[in-house]
Amino acid sequence: MKSSEAVIKLNEAGFKAEPAEVTRVGYHVTVALGADQIRPFAEWLLSEGFFIDFLSAVDASPAIQLIYQFAHFDAPCRIHAQVSLPDSGAVDTISDIYQGADWHERETRDFFGVVFSGHHNLVPLILCDEDKDLKPLLKKEGAKKSLADIGLGEMVA
Amino acid sequence: MVTKLEKIAGPKHRFLLNMGPQHPSTHGVLRIVLEMDGEYAMAIDPVLGYGHRMHEKMAEGRPYNGFYPNTGRMDYLGAILFSHGYVGLLERMSGAEVPERAEFIRVITAELNRISSHLVGIGAYVLDLGAFTPILYAFDDREMILDMLEAITGSRLTYCYFRVGGVTKDIDDTFIRRARAFIDRMRSRLPMYKDLVTDNLIFLKRTKGIGIIDRDMAARYGITGPVLRGSGISYDVRKSEPYSVYDRFDFDIPVGENGDSFDRYVVRMEEIAQSLRIIEQALDALPDGPVMVKPKKKLKLAAGGCNYTVEAARGSLSYYLVGDGSDTPYRLKIRVPSYSNLSPLPELCKGMLLSDLVTAMGSLDLVIPEIDR
Amino acid sequence: MKEIERYAQFLKDESEADSTELQGGAMNSFPLTEQVLKVCQANSLWPLTFGLACCAIEMMAAGMARIDMARYGAEVFRPSARQCDLLIVSGTVTKKMAPALMTLYEQMPYPKWVIAMGNCAISGGPFKVEDNYNVIEGVDRLIPVDVYVPGCPPRPEALIEGILKLQEKIAGKRHPWPQRKMKDAVKVHPIP
Amino acid sequence: MSGYFSELITGSKSLLVGLGVTFKALISPVVTVQYPREKIDVTSAVRGHIDLVKDEATGTHRCMVCLSCMKVCPCQCITVQGEKREGVKGKVLTLFALDFTKCSLCGLCVESCKPKAIDFSNEYELAGFTRDEFVFDLLKRVKERA
């Protein structure tokens, strides 16, 4: 699927997608998602034949940003989605749609303490048991910056 | 799935088997907890983190150029390919110019590194299956690459050779002569590997039809690299999103037919031949000029996220960096290929014989400290 | 972390208390036999197949055709700790790995020796940073180490050098028989 | 049944071909380097630990205590100290210590050094009985080399 086509189709499916400047940011489409849209978004991607590249998070104020990236085997189309973590500290899992997300979600829980509700086995993956509440990649007080300062602000839905 | 034993004796024969973290065929420090039914693995639970070296945390605490040594220590078999991704990311974000000669040298060294990585992968894989001899030949060929790379980079394994704006040292005539000699030698050695391993009936019987990955499974788990291409999908970042000067070279993407362990092995062998083609073309077209444009004193990147994807020896490698205008990264996420390639193991190997599990896992060509980062 | 420290202390006490007795057994009262035994031990070290990270590849390279470790009797890489007397810690030891490493050390029968290969095993190496939360800063905090081989990673020759040092420690001489008769002059092996 | 025998034949053939490869290796030149009697001809580019360069003209080191190597080192393994002395321009080096057990041999210090006072040594075969043996006093080493 061409990236221009993907933008149109994503907008038709009800997601806020925009084309991105690939030579500057390295992905073709940006999507600003609401926390409740993650599962339909993942289902749509799977039906269109996208594969999961990675899933991670960035700690910022006011809320942790979750980063999802998907790409396609047949055409250069890399979709980059950003979700703001709700106040509840939990988002829906996509590990039953994309099984590869299972480990990524467990890793994100290890490093950031993000809870993925509905995940079948959210136990520490990388860290040892005694460090399961360490959350090493959370920023220390004072080091945390706002979304505008790190340039991710304009993408929030 | 119900095994023969379970049909006869009921499910009472299940027991837990611990494989690793010290096990010769887990290629490092992977631990797998298996629920066995006799000799069949019914539930597989990989336990990661035995080689977690905090690369992402370390990136946040040091300047951009202080992360160079770390890039080589994630996938130590394909260190140059990992460095290539990182400097590519920084160049994309800072807009730094790279001399053409440096780009060619990067491609040459990266492809040499890819060959050396595949040689270790193949040798260790066949060693897992019980054949000791091929790894001796594979390492013998690999030593030639390491001699070449050591002469220009100074180290054998964890190169720290690429910099923003070029490479640290120019290649000389000795390197070009050795590289050409190596291409000839390797081309004459490839039929030998075919005789010794690929045509061997025991090897065929052990690997054919074991661990089949199809397109749907590959998409759900995000499998990339030779493991994906073994399933017949010609996805290669060097072709689909060409970086550096890869779009100037003529090379094929070898693909397999059935997606089993044997196809993955064959794809790796053919990739060695394709890499030799790229190196030959790059050596022929090597332009003159400087190899380094000295950047400004300190690298500072503007705020904003940026992604850079390259084809590492084991699949697509993405660096995702969020800058905050200072000289240290705010967040660096590294998407490593082996991580996604290992994750289908529980589904892939369910109900397999333990010896077949070793076959299937070895064909994924894992580097564990890369997975754990 | 406390548990790991207690375990490490236990291993240290054990090896200190019984090292002389356990290494030679009753043979210690016969000096000549003891010396013969030690030369035999030094010439047939059996390392454990145990790779942790980058250095493991150089350890493999040391066992391959170019730098053949078999020339020093150390080629029999055993997959089980119970058949080994040399533990080459080749790579970074993490907090999760530490208990497994100590168990492996305990599983090895006496006499046993440890080589810390590479900077990570010696002191944590490049990972000994301020915000380190997962890497053990030196394997000698966990188990007693006999020989240190620095480098990042060390060349295979350095590992051979470490094994020669270990032979020196075991048998009292740098080149125990039969390598003692080696010529002093060093030939240079050219690369084509 | 015929499949069984044809497999037996192809299998034996593949084994014999493999043995042929082994036989060829038997009569090809030896690749083993008899270390330490023989050493590989490592190039001057090989990276051992860093060392202070001895300037042929002055017979001493060229360090001018700018501390750039110490600042750029990602592993914090270099300690440089200097002091002001009467009648000498700039600072005088009093301590140049390298904790080699923390080094990752990245070469950033050598690149950052303006007067080219440090370079890699060719000592690639170190081994010792304690870890303190690898904390080098490079200033002492350069004086001893004189």
Side-chain angles (χ1 to χ4, degrees), chain A residues 93-141:
Chain A
T93 179
I94 59 164
S95 65
D96 51 335
I97 303 163
Y98 276 101
Q99 279 78 6
D102 179 353
W103 285 7
H104 288 291
E105 286 179 356
R106 278 168 70 185
E107 186 195 296
T108 311
R109 196 222 69 99
D110 273 8
F111 289 166
F112 293 91
V114 177
V115 177
F116 291 88
S117 48
H119 192 287
H120 65 100
N121 182 25
L122 204 62
V123 295
L125 178 76
I126 302 274
L127 299 180
C128 51
D129 283 339
E130 63 180 56
D131 281 343
K132 64 175 184 287
D133 295 319
L134 191 69
K135 298 169 194 167
L137 289 186
L138 283 184
K139 294 279 175 188
K140 287 196 193 90
E141 275 310 311

Short mmCIF file of all heavy atoms in Angstrom, two decimals, chain A residues 93-141:
data_model
loop_
_atom_site.label_atom_id
_atom_site.label_comp_id
_atom_site.label_asym_id
_atom_site.label_seq_id
_atom_site.Cartn_x
_atom_site.Cartn_y
_atom_site.Cartn_z
N THR A 93 -4.47 -3.44 25.66
CA THR A 93 -3.40 -4.23 25.05
C THR A 93 -3.74 -4.51 23.59
O THR A 93 -4.92 -4.55 23.21
CB THR A 93 -3.23 -5.54 25.81
OG1 THR A 93 -2.20 -6.29 25.17
CG2 THR A 93 -4.49 -6.37 25.79
N ILE A 94 -2.71 -4.69 22.75
CA ILE A 94 -2.96 -5.20 21.40
C ILE A 94 -2.28 -6.56 21.22
O ILE A 94 -2.11 -7.04 20.13
CB ILE A 94 -2.48 -4.22 20.30
CG1 ILE A 94 -0.99 -3.92 20.42
CG2 ILE A 94 -3.29 -2.95 20.32
CD1 ILE A 94 -0.42 -3.28 19.17
N SER A 95 -1.89 -7.17 22.35
CA SER A 95 -1.11 -8.39 22.24
C SER A 95 -1.94 -9.58 21.77
O SER A 95 -1.37 -10.60 21.41
CB SER A 95 -0.46 -8.72 23.58
OG SER A 95 -1.44 -9.02 24.54
N ASP A 96 -3.27 -9.45 21.76
CA ASP A 96 -4.06 -10.54 21.20
C ASP A 96 -4.31 -10.33 19.71
O ASP A 96 -4.69 -11.27 19.01
CB ASP A 96 -5.39 -10.70 21.96
CG ASP A 96 -6.14 -9.39 22.06
OD1 ASP A 96 -5.47 -8.34 21.99
OD2 ASP A 96 -7.36 -9.40 22.20
N ILE A 97 -4.08 -9.10 19.22
CA ILE A 97 -4.19 -8.86 17.77
C ILE A 97 -2.83 -9.08 17.13
O ILE A 97 -2.68 -9.88 16.22
CB ILE A 97 -4.70 -7.42 17.52
CG1 ILE A 97 -6.03 -7.21 18.23
CG2 ILE A 97 -4.84 -7.17 16.04
CD1 ILE A 97 -6.40 -5.77 18.40
N TYR A 98 -1.86 -8.33 17.62
CA TYR A 98 -0.48 -8.52 17.19
C TYR A 98 0.26 -9.24 18.31
O TYR A 98 0.62 -8.61 19.31
CB TYR A 98 0.18 -7.17 16.93
CG TYR A 98 -0.08 -6.60 15.57
CD1 TYR A 98 -1.03 -5.61 15.38
CD2 TYR A 98 0.63 -7.05 14.47
CE1 TYR A 98 -1.27 -5.10 14.12
CE2 TYR A 98 0.39 -6.54 13.21
CZ TYR A 98 -0.55 -5.56 13.04
OH TYR A 98 -0.78 -5.06 11.81
N GLN A 99 0.49 -10.53 18.17
CA GLN A 99 1.14 -11.27 19.26
C GLN A 99 2.55 -10.77 19.53
O GLN A 99 3.07 -10.91 20.63
CB GLN A 99 1.17 -12.77 18.93
CG GLN A 99 -0.12 -13.50 19.22
CD GLN A 99 -1.16 -13.27 18.14
OE1 GLN A 99 -0.89 -12.65 17.12
NE2 GLN A 99 -2.36 -13.77 18.36
N GLY A 100 3.17 -10.17 18.51
CA GLY A 100 4.51 -9.65 18.70
C GLY A 100 4.55 -8.51 19.70
O GLY A 100 5.60 -8.19 20.25
N ALA A 101 3.39 -7.85 19.92
CA ALA A 101 3.35 -6.73 20.86
C ALA A 101 3.46 -7.21 22.30
O ALA A 101 3.73 -6.40 23.19
CB ALA A 101 2.06 -5.95 20.68
N ASP A 102 3.24 -8.49 22.52
CA ASP A 102 3.28 -9.06 23.87
C ASP A 102 4.55 -8.65 24.60
O ASP A 102 4.50 -8.02 25.66
CB ASP A 102 3.19 -10.60 23.71
CG ASP A 102 3.26 -11.33 25.03
OD1 ASP A 102 3.50 -10.66 26.05
OD2 ASP A 102 3.08 -12.54 25.05
N TRP A 103 5.70 -8.96 24.02
CA TRP A 103 6.97 -8.65 24.70
C TRP A 103 7.22 -7.15 24.76
O TRP A 103 7.76 -6.66 25.75
CB TRP A 103 8.13 -9.34 23.97
CG TRP A 103 8.19 -10.80 24.23
CD1 TRP A 103 7.29 -11.55 24.90
CD2 TRP A 103 9.23 -11.68 23.81
NE1 TRP A 103 7.69 -12.85 24.92
CE2 TRP A 103 8.88 -12.97 24.26
CE3 TRP A 103 10.41 -11.52 23.12
CZ2 TRP A 103 9.68 -14.07 24.04
CZ3 TRP A 103 11.21 -12.62 22.88
CH2 TRP A 103 10.84 -13.88 23.34
N HIS A 104 6.83 -6.44 23.70
CA HIS A 104 7.03 -4.99 23.72
C HIS A 104 6.24 -4.36 24.87
O HIS A 104 6.72 -3.45 25.53
CB HIS A 104 6.59 -4.37 22.39
CG HIS A 104 7.52 -4.68 21.25
ND1 HIS A 104 8.78 -4.16 21.16
CD2 HIS A 104 7.36 -5.45 20.15
CE1 HIS A 104 9.36 -4.59 20.05
NE2 HIS A 104 8.52 -5.38 19.43
N GLU A 105 5.02 -4.87 25.09
CA GLU A 105 4.21 -4.32 26.17
C GLU A 105 4.79 -4.67 27.53
O GLU A 105 4.83 -3.83 28.44
CB GLU A 105 2.77 -4.84 26.04
CG GLU A 105 2.04 -4.16 24.90
CD GLU A 105 0.61 -4.66 24.71
OE1 GLU A 105 0.19 -5.59 25.42
OE2 GLU A 105 -0.06 -4.10 23.83
N ARG A 106 5.27 -5.89 27.65
CA ARG A 106 5.88 -6.26 28.93
C ARG A 106 7.13 -5.44 29.20
O ARG A 106 7.41 -5.05 30.33
CB ARG A 106 6.23 -7.76 28.92
CG ARG A 106 5.04 -8.63 29.25
CD ARG A 106 5.30 -10.08 28.95
NE ARG A 106 6.27 -10.68 29.85
CZ ARG A 106 6.73 -11.92 29.71
NH1 ARG A 106 6.28 -12.69 28.74
NH2 ARG A 106 7.60 -12.40 30.54
N GLU A 107 7.88 -5.17 28.14
CA GLU A 107 9.09 -4.37 28.30
C GLU A 107 8.73 -2.94 28.70
O GLU A 107 9.37 -2.34 29.57
CB GLU A 107 9.87 -4.37 26.99
CG GLU A 107 11.21 -3.69 27.09
CD GLU A 107 11.80 -3.38 25.73
OE1 GLU A 107 12.08 -4.32 24.99
OE2 GLU A 107 11.95 -2.19 25.43
N THR A 108 7.68 -2.39 28.08
CA THR A 108 7.26 -1.03 28.41
C THR A 108 6.77 -0.96 29.86
O THR A 108 6.99 0.02 30.56
CB THR A 108 6.15 -0.59 27.45
OG1 THR A 108 6.58 -0.86 26.12
CG2 THR A 108 5.87 0.88 27.57
N ARG A 109 6.11 -2.01 30.32
CA ARG A 109 5.70 -2.05 31.73
C ARG A 109 6.93 -2.08 32.64
O ARG A 109 6.98 -1.41 33.66
CB ARG A 109 4.83 -3.28 32.00
CG ARG A 109 4.06 -3.20 33.32
CD ARG A 109 4.08 -4.52 34.04
NE ARG A 109 5.43 -4.81 34.54
CZ ARG A 109 5.82 -4.59 35.78
NH1 ARG A 109 4.99 -4.11 36.67
NH2 ARG A 109 7.05 -4.87 36.16
N ASP A 110 7.95 -2.84 32.24
CA ASP A 110 9.19 -2.91 33.02
C ASP A 110 9.83 -1.53 33.15
O ASP A 110 10.23 -1.12 34.23
CB ASP A 110 10.21 -3.81 32.31
CG ASP A 110 10.05 -5.26 32.66
OD1 ASP A 110 9.07 -5.58 33.33
OD2 ASP A 110 10.91 -6.07 32.26
N PHE A 111 9.95 -0.84 32.02
CA PHE A 111 10.75 0.37 31.98
C PHE A 111 9.97 1.61 32.40
O PHE A 111 10.54 2.57 32.87
CB PHE A 111 11.31 0.59 30.57
CG PHE A 111 12.40 -0.39 30.18
CD1 PHE A 111 12.81 -0.52 28.86
CD2 PHE A 111 13.02 -1.16 31.13
CE1 PHE A 111 13.80 -1.42 28.52
CE2 PHE A 111 14.02 -2.06 30.79
CZ PHE A 111 14.41 -2.19 29.48
N PHE A 112 8.64 1.62 32.17
CA PHE A 112 7.87 2.83 32.42
C PHE A 112 6.72 2.61 33.40
O PHE A 112 6.10 3.57 33.84
CB PHE A 112 7.29 3.37 31.11
CG PHE A 112 8.33 3.87 30.17
CD1 PHE A 112 8.88 3.05 29.22
CD2 PHE A 112 8.77 5.18 30.24
CE1 PHE A 112 9.84 3.51 28.36
CE2 PHE A 112 9.73 5.65 29.37
CZ PHE A 112 10.27 4.81 28.43
N GLY A 113 6.39 1.39 33.71
CA GLY A 113 5.27 1.14 34.60
C GLY A 113 3.91 1.33 33.95
O GLY A 113 2.91 1.45 34.64
N VAL A 114 3.85 1.36 32.61
CA VAL A 114 2.56 1.48 31.92
C VAL A 114 1.82 0.14 32.02
O VAL A 114 2.40 -0.91 31.76
CB VAL A 114 2.76 1.85 30.44
CG1 VAL A 114 1.44 1.90 29.71
CG2 VAL A 114 3.48 3.17 30.32
N VAL A 115 0.56 0.20 32.41
CA VAL A 115 -0.22 -1.03 32.51
C VAL A 115 -1.01 -1.23 31.22
O VAL A 115 -1.62 -0.29 30.71
CB VAL A 115 -1.17 -0.97 33.73
CG1 VAL A 115 -2.03 -2.23 33.80
CG2 VAL A 115 -0.37 -0.81 35.00
N PHE A 116 -0.98 -2.43 30.69
CA PHE A 116 -1.75 -2.75 29.50
C PHE A 116 -2.90 -3.64 29.92
O PHE A 116 -2.71 -4.82 30.20
CB PHE A 116 -0.86 -3.43 28.46
CG PHE A 116 0.16 -2.51 27.87
CD1 PHE A 116 1.40 -2.36 28.46
CD2 PHE A 116 -0.13 -1.77 26.73
CE1 PHE A 116 2.33 -1.49 27.93
CE2 PHE A 116 0.80 -0.90 26.20
CZ PHE A 116 2.03 -0.76 26.80
N SER A 117 -4.09 -3.05 30.00
CA SER A 117 -5.21 -3.83 30.52
C SER A 117 -5.63 -4.87 29.49
O SER A 117 -5.68 -4.59 28.29
CB SER A 117 -6.37 -2.90 30.86
OG SER A 117 -6.62 -2.03 29.80
N GLY A 118 -5.90 -6.06 29.99
CA GLY A 118 -6.27 -7.16 29.11
C GLY A 118 -5.10 -8.01 28.68
O GLY A 118 -5.28 -9.03 28.04
N HIS A 119 -3.90 -7.62 29.06
CA HIS A 119 -2.73 -8.43 28.70
C HIS A 119 -2.75 -9.72 29.52
O HIS A 119 -3.01 -9.70 30.72
CB HIS A 119 -1.45 -7.64 28.97
CG HIS A 119 -0.22 -8.26 28.38
ND1 HIS A 119 0.35 -9.38 28.90
CD2 HIS A 119 0.53 -7.92 27.32
CE1 HIS A 119 1.41 -9.70 28.18
NE2 HIS A 119 1.54 -8.83 27.21
N HIS A 120 -2.43 -10.84 28.85
CA HIS A 120 -2.63 -12.12 29.52
C HIS A 120 -1.53 -12.47 30.50
O HIS A 120 -1.69 -13.35 31.34
CB HIS A 120 -2.75 -13.24 28.47
CG HIS A 120 -1.50 -13.44 27.67
ND1 HIS A 120 -0.63 -14.45 27.94
CD2 HIS A 120 -0.98 -12.75 26.64
CE1 HIS A 120 0.39 -14.38 27.09
NE2 HIS A 120 0.20 -13.36 26.29
N ASN A 121 -0.40 -11.81 30.42
CA ASN A 121 0.74 -12.23 31.25
C ASN A 121 1.67 -11.06 31.46
O ASN A 121 2.77 -11.02 30.93
CB ASN A 121 1.45 -13.39 30.54
CG ASN A 121 2.61 -13.93 31.35
OD1 ASN A 121 2.62 -13.79 32.56
ND2 ASN A 121 3.57 -14.54 30.68
N LEU A 122 1.25 -10.07 32.22
CA LEU A 122 2.03 -8.84 32.35
C LEU A 122 3.03 -8.96 33.50
O LEU A 122 2.93 -8.27 34.51
CB LEU A 122 1.09 -7.65 32.54
CG LEU A 122 1.63 -6.28 32.12
CD1 LEU A 122 1.95 -6.26 30.64
CD2 LEU A 122 0.65 -5.19 32.45
N VAL A 123 4.00 -9.82 33.34
CA VAL A 123 5.04 -10.01 34.35
C VAL A 123 6.34 -9.44 33.81
O VAL A 123 6.47 -9.25 32.60
CB VAL A 123 5.20 -11.50 34.71
CG1 VAL A 123 3.96 -12.03 35.36
CG2 VAL A 123 5.56 -12.32 33.49
N PRO A 124 7.31 -9.14 34.69
CA PRO A 124 8.56 -8.56 34.20
C PRO A 124 9.22 -9.44 33.14
O PRO A 124 9.23 -10.67 33.26
CB PRO A 124 9.43 -8.47 35.45
CG PRO A 124 8.50 -8.39 36.56
CD PRO A 124 7.30 -9.19 36.17
N LEU A 125 9.74 -8.79 32.09
CA LEU A 125 10.37 -9.53 31.01
C LEU A 125 11.89 -9.39 31.09
O LEU A 125 12.61 -10.38 31.11
CB LEU A 125 9.88 -9.00 29.67
CG LEU A 125 10.49 -9.64 28.42
CD1 LEU A 125 9.90 -11.01 28.20
CD2 LEU A 125 10.26 -8.78 27.20
N ILE A 126 12.34 -8.15 31.20
CA ILE A 126 13.78 -7.89 31.14
C ILE A 126 14.36 -7.82 32.55
O ILE A 126 15.40 -8.41 32.82
CB ILE A 126 14.04 -6.57 30.39
CG1 ILE A 126 13.46 -6.62 28.98
CG2 ILE A 126 15.52 -6.24 30.39
CD1 ILE A 126 14.33 -7.22 27.95
N LEU A 127 13.70 -7.10 33.42
CA LEU A 127 14.26 -6.89 34.75
C LEU A 127 14.06 -8.12 35.63
O LEU A 127 13.16 -8.92 35.41
CB LEU A 127 13.60 -5.67 35.40
CG LEU A 127 13.79 -4.36 34.66
CD1 LEU A 127 13.09 -3.25 35.41
CD2 LEU A 127 15.25 -4.03 34.49
N CYS A 128 14.92 -8.23 36.66
CA CYS A 128 14.76 -9.36 37.55
C CYS A 128 13.63 -9.05 38.55
O CYS A 128 13.20 -7.91 38.69
CB CYS A 128 16.06 -9.70 38.26
SG CYS A 128 16.87 -8.33 39.06
N ASP A 129 13.18 -10.07 39.23
CA ASP A 129 11.96 -9.95 40.03
C ASP A 129 12.06 -8.87 41.10
O ASP A 129 11.10 -8.16 41.36
CB ASP A 129 11.64 -11.30 40.69
CG ASP A 129 11.02 -12.25 39.69
OD1 ASP A 129 10.50 -11.74 38.68
OD2 ASP A 129 11.08 -13.46 39.90
N GLU A 130 13.24 -8.75 41.73
CA GLU A 130 13.33 -7.78 42.82
C GLU A 130 13.31 -6.35 42.30
O GLU A 130 13.07 -5.42 43.06
CB GLU A 130 14.59 -8.04 43.65
CG GLU A 130 15.87 -7.86 42.86
CD GLU A 130 17.09 -8.12 43.70
OE1 GLU A 130 17.18 -9.20 44.26
OE2 GLU A 130 17.96 -7.23 43.78
N ASP A 131 13.58 -6.16 41.01
CA ASP A 131 13.57 -4.82 40.43
C ASP A 131 12.28 -4.51 39.68
O ASP A 131 12.24 -3.60 38.87
CB ASP A 131 14.74 -4.66 39.45
CG ASP A 131 16.04 -4.42 40.16
OD1 ASP A 131 15.97 -4.06 41.34
OD2 ASP A 131 17.09 -4.60 39.55
N LYS A 132 11.23 -5.28 39.93
CA LYS A 132 10.08 -5.15 39.04
C LYS A 132 9.38 -3.81 39.15
O LYS A 132 8.64 -3.43 38.25
CB LYS A 132 9.10 -6.30 39.25
CG LYS A 132 8.43 -6.38 40.59
CD LYS A 132 7.40 -7.52 40.54
CE LYS A 132 6.60 -7.61 41.82
NZ LYS A 132 7.37 -8.16 42.93
N ASP A 133 9.65 -3.04 40.21
CA ASP A 133 9.05 -1.71 40.32
C ASP A 133 10.08 -0.59 40.15
O ASP A 133 9.87 0.54 40.58
CB ASP A 133 8.34 -1.57 41.67
CG ASP A 133 7.17 -2.52 41.76
OD1 ASP A 133 6.46 -2.65 40.76
OD2 ASP A 133 6.98 -3.13 42.82
N LEU A 134 11.20 -0.91 39.52
CA LEU A 134 12.27 0.08 39.39
C LEU A 134 11.94 1.15 38.36
O LEU A 134 12.23 2.33 38.58
CB LEU A 134 13.56 -0.65 38.98
CG LEU A 134 14.85 0.14 39.04
CD1 LEU A 134 15.24 0.43 40.47
CD2 LEU A 134 15.96 -0.65 38.36
N LYS A 135 11.31 0.80 37.27
CA LYS A 135 10.95 1.71 36.16
C LYS A 135 12.13 2.58 35.75
O LYS A 135 12.09 3.81 35.87
CB LYS A 135 9.76 2.57 36.56
CG LYS A 135 8.52 1.74 36.84
CD LYS A 135 7.44 2.59 37.47
CE LYS A 135 6.36 1.70 38.05
NZ LYS A 135 5.45 2.43 38.93
N PRO A 136 13.20 2.00 35.28
CA PRO A 136 14.45 2.75 35.10
C PRO A 136 14.38 3.88 34.09
O PRO A 136 15.14 4.83 34.20
CB PRO A 136 15.43 1.68 34.64
CG PRO A 136 14.61 0.58 34.12
CD PRO A 136 13.35 0.58 34.91
N LEU A 137 13.51 3.82 33.11
CA LEU A 137 13.53 4.85 32.07
C LEU A 137 12.60 6.03 32.37
O LEU A 137 12.50 6.94 31.56
CB LEU A 137 13.20 4.25 30.70
CG LEU A 137 14.29 3.36 30.11
CD1 LEU A 137 13.93 2.94 28.71
CD2 LEU A 137 15.63 4.05 30.09
N LEU A 138 11.93 6.01 33.52
CA LEU A 138 11.17 7.19 33.90
C LEU A 138 12.16 8.29 34.27
O LEU A 138 13.18 8.03 34.89
CB LEU A 138 10.27 6.88 35.11
CG LEU A 138 8.99 6.10 34.85
CD1 LEU A 138 8.20 5.99 36.14
CD2 LEU A 138 8.14 6.76 33.79
N LYS A 139 11.82 9.51 33.87
CA LYS A 139 12.74 10.62 34.13
C LYS A 139 12.67 11.02 35.61
O LYS A 139 11.61 10.95 36.23
CB LYS A 139 12.35 11.82 33.28
CG LYS A 139 12.54 11.59 31.80
CD LYS A 139 13.98 11.79 31.40
CE LYS A 139 14.18 11.42 29.94
NZ LYS A 139 15.57 11.42 29.54
N LYS A 140 13.82 11.46 36.10
CA LYS A 140 13.85 11.95 37.48
C LYS A 140 13.13 13.30 37.54
O LYS A 140 13.01 13.99 36.54
CB LYS A 140 15.30 12.14 37.93
CG LYS A 140 16.02 10.85 38.19
CD LYS A 140 17.29 11.14 39.01
CE LYS A 140 18.20 9.94 39.02
NZ LYS A 140 19.16 9.94 37.90
N GLU A 141 12.71 13.67 38.74
CA GLU A 141 12.09 14.98 38.91
C GLU A 141 13.07 16.06 38.47
O GLU A 141 14.25 16.03 38.83
CB GLU A 141 11.72 15.18 40.40
CG GLU A 141 10.36 14.61 40.79
CD GLU A 141 9.23 15.02 39.86
OE1 GLU A 141 9.11 16.21 39.57
OE2 GLU A 141 8.46 14.12 39.43
#
